[in-house]
PDB file of all heavy atoms in Angstrom:
ATOM      1  N   THR A 206      34.984 102.824 178.037  1.00 96.00           N
ATOM      2  CA  THR A 206      34.477 103.725 179.072  1.00 96.00           C
ATOM      3  C   THR A 206      32.958 103.839 179.034  1.00 96.00           C
ATOM      4  O   THR A 206      32.285 103.787 180.072  1.00 96.00           O
ATOM      5  CB  THR A 206      35.115 105.120 178.917  1.00 96.00           C
ATOM      6  OG1 THR A 206      36.529 104.978 178.751  1.00 96.00           O
ATOM      7  CG2 THR A 206      34.832 105.978 180.125  1.00 96.00           C
ATOM      8  N   THR A 207      32.392 103.960 177.846  1.00 96.00           N
ATOM      9  CA  THR A 207      30.945 104.084 177.731  1.00 96.00           C
ATOM     10  C   THR A 207      30.242 102.832 178.235  1.00 96.00           C
ATOM     11  O   THR A 207      29.225 102.914 178.933  1.00 96.00           O
ATOM     12  CB  THR A 207      30.538 104.360 176.274  1.00 96.00           C
ATOM     13  OG1 THR A 207      31.156 105.566 175.820  1.00 96.00           O
ATOM     14  CG2 THR A 207      29.032 104.494 176.138  1.00 96.00           C
ATOM     15  N   MET A 208      30.770 101.654 177.897  1.00 97.00           N
ATOM     16  CA  MET A 208      30.142 100.423 178.350  1.00 97.00           C
ATOM     17  C   MET A 208      30.121 100.335 179.871  1.00 97.00           C
ATOM     18  O   MET A 208      29.148  99.854 180.470  1.00 97.00           O
ATOM     19  CB  MET A 208      30.884  99.207 177.778  1.00 97.00           C
ATOM     20  CG  MET A 208      30.776  99.025 176.272  1.00 97.00           C
ATOM     21  SD  MET A 208      29.079  98.926 175.666  1.00 97.00           S
ATOM     22  CE  MET A 208      28.859 100.567 174.992  1.00 97.00           C
ATOM     23  N   LEU A 209      31.184 100.800 180.530  1.00 98.00           N
ATOM     24  CA  LEU A 209      31.228 100.749 181.992  1.00 98.00           C
ATOM     25  C   LEU A 209      30.284 101.776 182.602  1.00 98.00           C
ATOM     26  O   LEU A 209      29.658 101.518 183.638  1.00 98.00           O
ATOM     27  CB  LEU A 209      32.664 100.949 182.491  1.00 98.00           C
ATOM     28  CG  LEU A 209      33.681  99.894 182.049  1.00 98.00           C
ATOM     29  CD1 LEU A 209      35.022 100.111 182.737  1.00 98.00           C
ATOM     30  CD2 LEU A 209      33.190  98.473 182.315  1.00 98.00           C
ATOM     31  N   PHE A 210      30.147 102.943 181.984  1.00 98.00           N
ATOM     32  CA  PHE A 210      29.161 103.917 182.442  1.00 98.00           C
ATOM     33  C   PHE A 210      27.751 103.345 182.345  1.00 98.00           C
ATOM     34  O   PHE A 210      26.941 103.469 183.282  1.00 98.00           O
ATOM     35  CB  PHE A 210      29.253 105.195 181.592  1.00 98.00           C
ATOM     36  CG  PHE A 210      30.101 106.277 182.190  1.00 98.00           C
ATOM     37  CD1 PHE A 210      31.484 106.158 182.229  1.00 98.00           C
ATOM     38  CD2 PHE A 210      29.525 107.423 182.709  1.00 98.00           C
ATOM     39  CE1 PHE A 210      32.279 107.162 182.761  1.00 98.00           C
ATOM     40  CE2 PHE A 210      30.310 108.438 183.248  1.00 98.00           C
ATOM     41  CZ  PHE A 210      31.691 108.308 183.282  1.00 98.00           C
ATOM     42  N   LEU A 211      27.440 102.740 181.208  1.00 98.00           N
ATOM     43  CA  LEU A 211      26.095 102.199 181.004  1.00 98.00           C
ATOM     44  C   LEU A 211      25.820 101.032 181.944  1.00 98.00           C
ATOM     45  O   LEU A 211      24.700 100.868 182.443  1.00 98.00           O
ATOM     46  CB  LEU A 211      25.917 101.765 179.547  1.00 98.00           C
ATOM     47  CG  LEU A 211      26.004 102.885 178.497  1.00 98.00           C
ATOM     48  CD1 LEU A 211      25.888 102.310 177.087  1.00 98.00           C
ATOM     49  CD2 LEU A 211      24.932 103.944 178.727  1.00 98.00           C
ATOM     50  N   LEU A 212      26.826 100.208 182.174  1.00 98.00           N
ATOM     51  CA  LEU A 212      26.679  99.080 183.100  1.00 98.00           C
ATOM     52  C   LEU A 212      26.305  99.570 184.497  1.00 98.00           C
ATOM     53  O   LEU A 212      25.426  98.991 185.155  1.00 98.00           O
ATOM     54  CB  LEU A 212      27.987  98.292 183.162  1.00 98.00           C
ATOM     55  CG  LEU A 212      28.092  97.207 184.235  1.00 98.00           C
ATOM     56  CD1 LEU A 212      27.192  96.032 183.892  1.00 98.00           C
ATOM     57  CD2 LEU A 212      29.535  96.752 184.398  1.00 98.00           C
ATOM     58  N   THR A 213      26.969 100.618 184.946  1.00 98.00           N
ATOM     59  CA  THR A 213      26.783 101.106 186.318  1.00 98.00           C
ATOM     60  C   THR A 213      25.691 102.161 186.423  1.00 98.00           C
ATOM     61  O   THR A 213      25.534 102.793 187.474  1.00 98.00           O
ATOM     62  CB  THR A 213      28.102 101.667 186.858  1.00 98.00           C
ATOM     63  OG1 THR A 213      28.608 102.659 185.947  1.00 98.00           O
ATOM     64  CG2 THR A 213      29.146 100.567 187.004  1.00 98.00           C
ATOM     65  N   ASN A 214      24.926 102.345 185.347  1.00 97.00           N
ATOM     66  CA  ASN A 214      23.772 103.250 185.363  1.00 97.00           C
ATOM     67  C   ASN A 214      24.174 104.681 185.709  1.00 97.00           C
ATOM     68  O   ASN A 214      23.462 105.391 186.419  1.00 97.00           O
ATOM     69  CB  ASN A 214      22.707 102.742 186.351  1.00 97.00           C
ATOM     70  CG  ASN A 214      21.345 103.369 186.094  1.00 97.00           C
ATOM     71  OD1 ASN A 214      21.085 103.928 185.031  1.00 97.00           O
ATOM     72  ND2 ASN A 214      20.464 103.297 187.084  1.00 97.00           N
ATOM     73  N   GLN A 215      25.317 105.109 185.194  1.00 97.00           N
ATOM     74  CA  GLN A 215      25.790 106.463 185.457  1.00 97.00           C
ATOM     75  C   GLN A 215      25.341 107.436 184.367  1.00 97.00           C
ATOM     76  O   GLN A 215      25.103 107.051 183.216  1.00 97.00           O
ATOM     77  CB  GLN A 215      27.317 106.490 185.546  1.00 97.00           C
ATOM     78  CG  GLN A 215      27.883 105.787 186.761  1.00 97.00           C
ATOM     79  CD  GLN A 215      29.311 106.234 187.031  1.00 97.00           C
ATOM     80  OE1 GLN A 215      29.592 107.418 187.144  1.00 97.00           O
ATOM     81  NE2 GLN A 215      30.211 105.276 187.155  1.00 97.00           N
ATOM     82  N   ASP A 216      25.264 108.702 184.730  1.00 97.00           N
ATOM     83  CA  ASP A 216      24.960 109.771 183.789  1.00 97.00           C
ATOM     84  C   ASP A 216      26.109 109.884 182.785  1.00 97.00           C
ATOM     85  O   ASP A 216      27.262 110.083 183.170  1.00 97.00           O
ATOM     86  CB  ASP A 216      24.801 111.079 184.559  1.00 97.00           C
ATOM     87  CG  ASP A 216      24.338 112.241 183.681  1.00 97.00           C
ATOM     88  OD1 ASP A 216      24.364 112.098 182.439  1.00 97.00           O
ATOM     89  OD2 ASP A 216      23.982 113.286 184.239  1.00 97.00           O
ATOM     90  N   VAL A 217      25.789 109.766 181.495  1.00 97.00           N
ATOM     91  CA  VAL A 217      26.831 109.776 180.456  1.00 97.00           C
ATOM     92  C   VAL A 217      27.044 111.165 179.858  1.00 97.00           C
ATOM     93  O   VAL A 217      27.694 111.296 178.822  1.00 97.00           O
ATOM     94  CB  VAL A 217      26.485 108.773 179.320  1.00 97.00           C
ATOM     95  CG1 VAL A 217      26.492 107.346 179.822  1.00 97.00           C
ATOM     96  CG2 VAL A 217      25.128 109.124 178.691  1.00 97.00           C
ATOM     97  N   ASP A 218      26.517 112.188 180.514  1.00 97.00           N
ATOM     98  CA  ASP A 218      26.619 113.544 179.961  1.00 97.00           C
ATOM     99  C   ASP A 218      28.067 113.930 179.679  1.00 97.00           C
ATOM    100  O   ASP A 218      28.364 114.559 178.658  1.00 97.00           O
ATOM    101  CB  ASP A 218      25.982 114.549 180.926  1.00 97.00           C
ATOM    102  CG  ASP A 218      26.047 115.967 180.385  1.00 97.00           C
ATOM    103  OD1 ASP A 218      25.365 116.248 179.379  1.00 97.00           O
ATOM    104  OD2 ASP A 218      26.799 116.787 180.946  1.00 97.00           O
ATOM    105  N   SER A 219      29.000 113.571 180.576  1.00 96.00           N
ATOM    106  CA  SER A 219      30.404 113.962 180.390  1.00 96.00           C
ATOM    107  C   SER A 219      31.031 113.320 179.164  1.00 96.00           C
ATOM    108  O   SER A 219      32.070 113.778 178.673  1.00 96.00           O
ATOM    109  CB  SER A 219      31.227 113.606 181.634  1.00 96.00           C
ATOM    110  OG  SER A 219      31.249 112.205 181.857  1.00 96.00           O
TER     111      SER A 219
END
Side-chain angles (χ1 to χ4, degrees):
T206 313
T207 301
M208 293 304 103
L209 298 187
F210 264 72
L211 296 177
L212 171 71
T213 54
N214 198 17
Q215 291 199 54
D216 186 348
V217 295
D218 181 68
S219 63

